[in-house]
Amino acid sequence: MIPFKTTEGRMVDSSTMQNVFDKIKTPHKYGVVLQFPDEMCDSPTVYRHNGKWYMSFIKIANNHAESGYDSHLAESDDLLHWRYICKTMDRNDKNEWDSRQIALYAGFIDNALHGTYALNRINGGYHYAYLGGNLNGYETDPLSIGQCKTIDPARPEAYCKLPGPRLHPGDADSRKGETLTLYKSDLFMDPALTTGHLYVNAYNAKGENHKESIYLAVSDNGEDWERYGDRAIIVDDTEDGRRAIHGDPQILKYGDLYIMLYFVLENGKTYDTFACSYDLVHWTKWEGPYLIESSEEYDAMYAHKPCLVVDNGIVYHFYCAVSRDNTRTIALAASKAL
């Protein structure tokens, strides 16, 4: 474990927080953009590559007792209309650590708020982190973080796994709140070296109390990771402990400010919100209106798991929408009516 570089941090003032909210708010729900009749789809990661928009996402059978996650890719010319391309990573019967769950998330995307959102090539390939496990079912414990890379994101045969879990809940340096399961990773490059390292991984994880918090790991080569700090950076700070999950982080850069989008499960309700930081360790949580919450039939049960991009001055907020009958789709909200 690498100690935090800073022990005391500058918090973000309220006017800056309001300014960020005004820049990333998406009050106009466009609706469902990706749906499959016999499967649930989840966890969008949107990026640009070779002049097109792509979305890596995951699916699981509606009857998931004998199933698990596998990973897929879609493309779009306008961020509104999406065409399914292919499955990128599938489950197998080899009884390996990741044979029954493999949920990919595109990594090392240009994360400047008003940047390109291009997929960056690292060590000769384009990288994806993934949630991996060897048990059927919906996110059955334990789960670890794996990583793979490819020379062509649209060619499934080109994907190559790096050996073994890159981070495991049973690692010697696992922190108390991440000893059971590790979930979604957001791999990003940080040229400012705020942590002292070029590559950063923000991910949510849980320990024996089953509450999920957000943690950091760092790397000098983008493939071998060490945990950063002795604690989570985003946790439940309510006196009654009602927020059970803080998950699926996406970190964007806006000047010298880091913006983290994430979702919260609080008293059975989910919503997307954000926090801001100057050092990746000390975070100021937004206490105003949610970025996304349930309001429509298609997201009446859950509206959560953010992925935000900005294109031509329009903010697009993709998220996982779950209806009352447990239909799980990928939906979109925007900063203006589309």
Side-chain angles (χ1 to χ4, degrees):
M1 181 188 301
I2 298 173
F4 285 137
K5 190 177 177 182
T6 55
T7 56
E8 295 183 3
R10 169 186 167 201
M11 305 310 288
V12 183
D13 62 74
S14 59
S15 62
T16 300
M17 294 297 291
Q18 182 66 53
N19 178 52
V20 171
F21 174 75
D22 291 340
K23 288 188 177 300
I24 66 174
K25 63 184 178 182
T26 51
H28 303 279
K29 287 191 176 179
Y30 177 78
V32 173
V33 296
L34 209 55
Q35 181 174 2
F36 299 88
D38 299 317
E39 296 169 294
M40 298 185 284
C41 57
D42 207 336
S43 295
T45 310
V46 176
Y47 59 89
R48 199 194 300 267
H49 182 64
N50 289 342
K52 286 187 177 180
W53 289 102
Y54 287 87
M55 180 193 298
S56 67
F57 65 98
I58 59 182
K59 293 199 295 183
I60 188 171
N62 287 337
N63 180 10
H64 49 259
E66 299 300 324
S67 178
Y69 282 136
D70 51 30
S71 301
H72 301 259
L73 193 66
E75 67 177 5
S76 175
D77 298 315
D78 60 5
L79 289 167
L80 303 179
H81 305 93
W82 291 88
R83 299 176 295 276
Y84 178 80
I85 302 177
C86 60
K87 182 182 291 186
T88 52
M89 275 285 188
D90 202 358
R91 294 153 25 97
N92 62 59
D93 295 319
K94 296 180 181 179
N95 198 31
E96 297 171 334
W97 74 271
D98 56 356
S99 288
R100 309 311 294 159
Q101 307 278 347
I102 186 158
L104 264 62
Y105 311 98
F108 304 129
I109 299 166
D110 173 17
N111 69 341
L113 179 62
H114 297 111
T116 66
Y117 296 91
L119 195 62
N120 287 304
R121 191 179 178 99
I122 304 297
N123 302 333
Y126 302 103
H127 285 248
Y128 295 74
Y130 67 90
L131 169 162
N134 195 28
L135 294 174
N136 289 323
Y138 185 81
E139 298 182 353
T140 43
D141 304 324
L143 299 169
S144 303
I145 294 172
Q147 198 168 332
C148 66
K149 64 182 179 180
T150 180
I151 57 172
D152 185 348
R155 287 177 50 216
E157 69 276 10
Y159 282 67
C160 178
K161 294 179 183 178
L162 301 185
R166 312 313 288 175
L167 291 167
H168 186 280
D171 290 338
D173 64 347
S174 284
R175 291 152 289 204
K176 184 177 179 180
E178 57 169 340
T179 55
L180 187 55
T181 274
L182 313 182
Y183 290 102
K184 179 194 172 182
S185 289
D186 177 35
L187 306 182
F188 65 97
M189 298 174 63
D190 183 34
L193 301 180
T194 298
T195 65
H197 305 270
L198 178 59
Y199 303 101
V200 183
N201 180 359
Y203 62 95
N204 54 306
K206 72 181 178 186
E208 296 300 328
N209 67 356
H210 288 264
K211 291 176 73 73
E212 294 178 33
S213 301
I214 296 174
Y215 297 84
L216 292 181
V218 293
S219 173
D220 292 320
N221 62 11
E223 297 183 1
D224 300 301
W225 298 92
E226 289 188 72
R227 286 167 170 84
Y228 182 60
D230 59 358
R231 59 175 174 83
I233 55 170
I234 296 286
V235 298
D236 181 8
D237 55 5
T238 59
E239 291 185 3
D240 56 3
R242 63 181 180 270
R243 295 172 182 163
I245 295 178
H246 296 74
D248 286 43
Q250 178 195 13
I251 293 183
L252 300 171
K253 194 73 187 295
Y254 177 52
D256 62 348
L257 194 67
Y258 297 90
I259 304 168
M260 183 197 299
L261 286 83
Y262 61 97
F263 85 88
V264 176
L265 173 65
E266 180 176 353
N267 294 335
K269 172 185 177 180
T270 62
Y271 54 87
D272 286 353
T273 185
F274 72 98
C276 292
S277 174
Y278 291 107
D279 62 7
L280 289 170
V281 175
H282 303 89
W283 292 86
T284 303
K285 294 181 179 179
W286 171 246
E287 299 295 343
Y290 306 137
L291 294 175
I292 291 290
E293 62 181 314
S294 297
S295 65
E296 309 296 329
E297 184 176 345
Y298 57 81
D299 64 8
M301 181 177 290
Y302 297 131
H304 63 336
K305 302 184 178 181
C307 178
L308 185 144
V309 300
V310 181
D311 186 49
N312 291 324
I314 301 173
V315 183
Y316 298 82
H317 184 145
F318 297 88
Y319 65 100
C320 176
V322 185
S323 65
R324 292 292 181 194
D325 65 0
N326 207 34
T327 299
R328 187 173 288 252
T329 61
I330 293 171
L332 171 65
S335 56
K336 61 179 287 186
L338 302 171

